[in-house]
Amino acid sequence: MALVDRKLFGPGPGNPYPEATSALGQPLLGHLDPVFLSLMDETCDRLRTVWGTTNARTIPLSATGSAGMEASFVNTVSDGDVVVVAVNGLFGQRMCDVAARCGAEVVPVEHEWGAPVDVDRVLSAHPSPKVVAAVHAETSTGVRSDIAALGAGKGDALLLVDAVTSIAGIELRADDWGIDVGYAGTQKCLGVAPGLAPFTINDRAFARRVEKPQSWYLDLGLLGGYVGEASGSGGRTYHHTAPTAMVASLHAGLGRILEEGLENVWARHAEAGRLLQSGLLEMGLELFAQEGSRLPELTTVKVPDGVDSAAVRKILLERHGIEIGAGAGAYAATVWRIGLMGHNARPDAALLALAALADALAEVGWKP
Ligand SMILES: *Cc1c(COP(=O)(O)O)cnc(C)c1O
């Protein structure tokens, strides 16, 4: 099949950083090779920086972001535990499903899609939950929520946070904000192909974990030995074969981010998102996410009345080689999702997305 080079401007994956792509072509290392083990250790160190944590147990789980969600719940929640979940989009809904399968008594706190999490309502939903869970950057709606405020008011509960679309895109400070358990993915703002789930858990949460979770693969007690450092012993035991090529790619992507400077990377995302969003408004389009809570890395746009959402996406893909996302859930046909994440968080990418969308809208006969 011929190579197809797309601009991935949807909700993920985005185009990886060139450094991350090059690393995939390096000679493969064995998963117990000393060179790989030090690469893994350094990857975990770099992950601590982008998480804003000193947690020893900070590792790339060998699966996509959803496995991070699964690992978070399966290791902290068992039969009858109360879990309060802030639901302001698709991923909050999914958290409820995952927690319920662990036997939790789930207390969902529903919000209108497009709005940020109402911290007071979430914190007063139950007097003594074991876990309070929320999504930092809701990719389904393009909304940012205030995790620091949840952390400040969580009391004895463990704060479990989805940072899949926030990590290395917007400010994230796991320790300062009181995040006890967090998971992410590689293919959004980290600028690496999909395949790993950067995960972190602090001592407080680890001490209160489920001793023998029903998942063997995602059992943190067993994974400690696999990354060595986390177990404190320095010894490595075989648990599963680490996806060494993906870890090398993540290592390189993180190297790129840290070389640029994490705060500079956040600023680059902010600027690209600002350019895109102001350009869309100037074109006469409306944004979906509530003003004041809009993510720069993932923009939700209302499909104008009378415009066929899928027809526009088809023109973008076939004429311009640009992928954008449809809306999530009930908004599949009425919202578009445009991501400028990681390597794509650049002014030229924002301007290209605007020009191509204007062309596609003209093609289908839309006038502001
Ligand atoms: C993409 C995403 C996930 C799921 O990650 P996968 O890599 O698709 O498994 C979870 N939460 C949020 C907020 C996401 O954007």
Side-chain angles (χ1 to χ4, degrees):
M1 210 170 75
L3 288 178
V4 177
D5 191 6
R6 304 287 198 205
K7 306 269 183 223
L8 300 175
F9 295 169
N15 299 95
Y17 286 113
E19 293 87 343
T21 301
S22 302
L24 288 172
Q26 289 167 4
L28 195 69
L29 290 168
H31 68 116
L32 296 175
D33 187 310
V35 175
F36 175 72
L37 296 180
S38 57
L39 189 91
M40 176 66 112
D41 285 346
E42 201 166 87
T43 301
C44 295
D45 276 344
R46 291 176 179 187
L47 283 176
R48 284 182 196 98
T49 306
V50 291
W51 272 109
T53 187
T54 58
N55 291 340
R57 295 178 189 84
T58 302
I59 59 175
L61 297 175
S62 307
T64 68
S66 301
M69 185 187 290
E70 190 101 36
S72 300
F73 284 103
V74 95
N75 282 284
T76 54
V77 174
S78 59
D79 277 341
D81 289 339
V82 175
V83 177
V84 171
V85 182
V87 181
N88 66 333
L90 179 78
F91 292 102
Q93 285 180 340
R94 210 178 259 184
M95 281 177 155
C96 294
D97 190 4
V98 174
R101 287 169 192 235
C102 298
E105 183 191 317
V106 180
V107 182
V109 182
E110 299 284 350
H111 297 69
E112 202 185 317
W113 284 36
V117 168
D118 179 337
V119 172
D120 292 337
R121 230 158 33 84
V122 171
L123 293 179
S124 58
H126 191 278
S128 56
K130 179 171 184 192
V131 171
V132 171
V135 178
H136 186 200
E138 240 311 341
T139 322
S140 61
T141 61
V143 165
R144 177 203 311 243
S145 290
D146 186 351
I147 299 302
L150 280 176
K154 71 183 177 182
D156 191 46
L158 298 173
L159 178 59
L160 190 164
V161 171
D162 176 318
V164 176
T165 292
S166 63
I167 197 165
I170 55 174
E171 183 179 16
L172 171 65
R173 302 188 191 276
D175 289 357
D176 290 351
W177 294 354
I179 296 174
D180 296 290
V181 186
Y183 63 90
T186 42
Q187 75 273 29
K188 318 260 169 127
C189 302
L190 280 170
V192 177
L196 295 173
F199 176 88
T200 192
I201 182 168
N202 63 16
D203 290 342
R204 177 172 178 265
F206 193 74
R208 289 166 68 179
R209 79 187 188 280
V210 176
E211 273 300 330
K212 196 160 188 181
Q214 57 81 15
S215 170
W216 177 88
Y217 195 71
L218 298 172
D219 179 348
L220 293 178
L222 299 176
L223 284 170
Y226 152 78
V227 290
E229 185 149 298
S231 69
S233 67
R236 309 285 175 142
T237 53
Y238 167 69
H239 176 259
H240 66 277
T241 308
T244 52
M246 273 306 300
V247 174
S249 185
L250 175 60
H251 178 266
L254 287 165
R256 156 66 198 261
I257 288 165
L258 299 180
E259 197 171 306
E260 183 176 345
L262 187 55
E263 304 216 346
N264 295 334
V265 171
W266 295 343
R268 179 162 53 73
H269 281 80
E271 175 60 11
R274 191 194 61 73
L275 263 176
L276 176 67
Q277 289 169 13
S278 61
L280 291 167
L281 293 170
E282 271 166 35
M283 280 166 63
L285 294 165
E286 286 177 61
L287 302 182
F288 176 73
Q290 193 173 300
E291 200 177 350
S293 299
R294 291 175 185 154
L295 292 169
E297 68 273 38
L298 195 281
T299 297
T300 43
V301 192
K302 293 185 187 171
V303 177
D305 284 342
V307 168
D308 177 351
S309 158
V312 169
R313 288 196 297 118
K314 188 164 189 275
I315 295 167
L316 288 173
L317 192 68
E318 292 180 356
R319 182 188 284 181
H320 301 284
I322 290 177
E323 177 181 284
I324 68 166
Y331 298 94
T334 54
V335 166
W336 289 309
R337 292 184 294 160
I338 307 177
L340 294 177
M341 303 177 180
H343 185 51
N344 290 337
R346 300 190 316 265
D348 59 310
L351 298 178
L352 180 62
L354 286 168
L357 185 59
D359 175 69
L361 282 168
E363 183 72 23
V364 299
W366 179 71
K367 287 182 200 69

